[in-house]
Amino acid sequence: MLKIRKEIYEEMINHCINSLPYEACGILAGREKVSYIYKIRNIEPSSVSYFMDPLEQLRAMKEIREKNIDMIAIYHSHPWGNAYPSQKDRELATYEVYYLIIAIEPKIEVKAFVIKDNKVQEIDLKIEQDDY
Ligand SMILES: [Zn+2]
């Protein structure tokens, strides 16, 4: 199961909406649950694919290491598609992290997956309120 802090979840969805008509992408990090979001520039602006800016991605991964937290997931949006990994998404899923896909139109839908060896498995997603 993948747990995400509610405010991070909402920030991620807003990032995806604000990036329309293109796909948005980024990295989610934390310890047991996602508590940090790193919005990464999509250098291949398209409605059907994305490519994370390598420099921004590197910076985010460095900061994650320095904070002593883990990269938990990579997210990207499908502006007018299903919340399901495309063939290209499966081919590019090289990290051992969860992959989140956010479908925007006509209805916002968020799903999490483990993608390995071109096989896709859906994972439960839990949005958690802050527990101060
Ligand atoms: Zn995709």
Side-chain angles (χ1 to χ4, degrees), residues 8-68:
I8 300 295
Y9 181 81
E10 286 168 356
E11 198 175 334
M12 176 181 75
I13 289 175
N14 284 333
H15 178 213
C16 296
I17 292 171
N18 293 337
S19 300
L20 288 173
Y22 303 127
E23 291 197 1
C25 51
I27 292 174
L28 302 176
R31 289 203 175 87
E32 301 201 340
K33 67 177 151 191
V34 171
S35 308
Y36 295 88
I37 179 169
Y38 297 90
K39 299 171 196 169
I40 310 284
R41 194 164 66 97
N42 179 3
I43 57 166
E44 193 180 277
S46 154
S47 297
V48 291
S49 68
Y50 74 100
F51 197 87
M52 287 196 273
D53 181 326
L55 193 61
E56 287 188 15
Q57 184 182 350
L58 220 62
R59 270 196 213 117
M61 289 168 86
K62 184 166 177 274
E63 198 179 313
I64 288 167
R65 259 201 317 279
E66 285 168 355
K67 280 193 160 84
N68 200 23

Side-chain angles (χ1 to χ4, degrees), residues 23 76 78 86 89:
E23 291 197 1
H76 75 279
H78 284 174
S86 66
D89 291 338

Side-chain angles (χ1 to χ4, degrees), residues 57-125:
Q57 184 182 350
L58 220 62
R59 270 196 213 117
M61 289 168 86
K62 184 166 177 274
E63 198 179 313
I64 288 167
R65 259 201 317 279
E66 285 168 355
K67 280 193 160 84
N68 200 23
I69 53 176
D70 298 312
M71 175 161 107
I72 296 178
I74 291 173
Y75 72 88
H76 75 279
S77 60
H78 284 174
W80 291 279
N82 297 324
Y84 195 80
S86 66
Q87 181 54 40
K88 192 173 176 192
D89 291 338
R90 278 178 265 172
E91 284 162 13
L92 294 177
T94 49
Y95 291 101
E96 295 220 350
V97 297
Y98 295 113
Y99 286 86
L100 251 80
I101 299 184
I102 302 103
I104 304 294
E105 297 283 356
K107 176 169 136 321
I108 291 175
E109 191 173 28
V110 182
K111 286 187 177 171
F113 303 92
V114 169
I115 307 175
K116 209 180 171 193
D117 302 327
N118 213 33
K119 286 203 250 329
V120 175
Q121 190 195 348
E122 193 179 341
I123 301 294
D124 285 335
L125 194 60

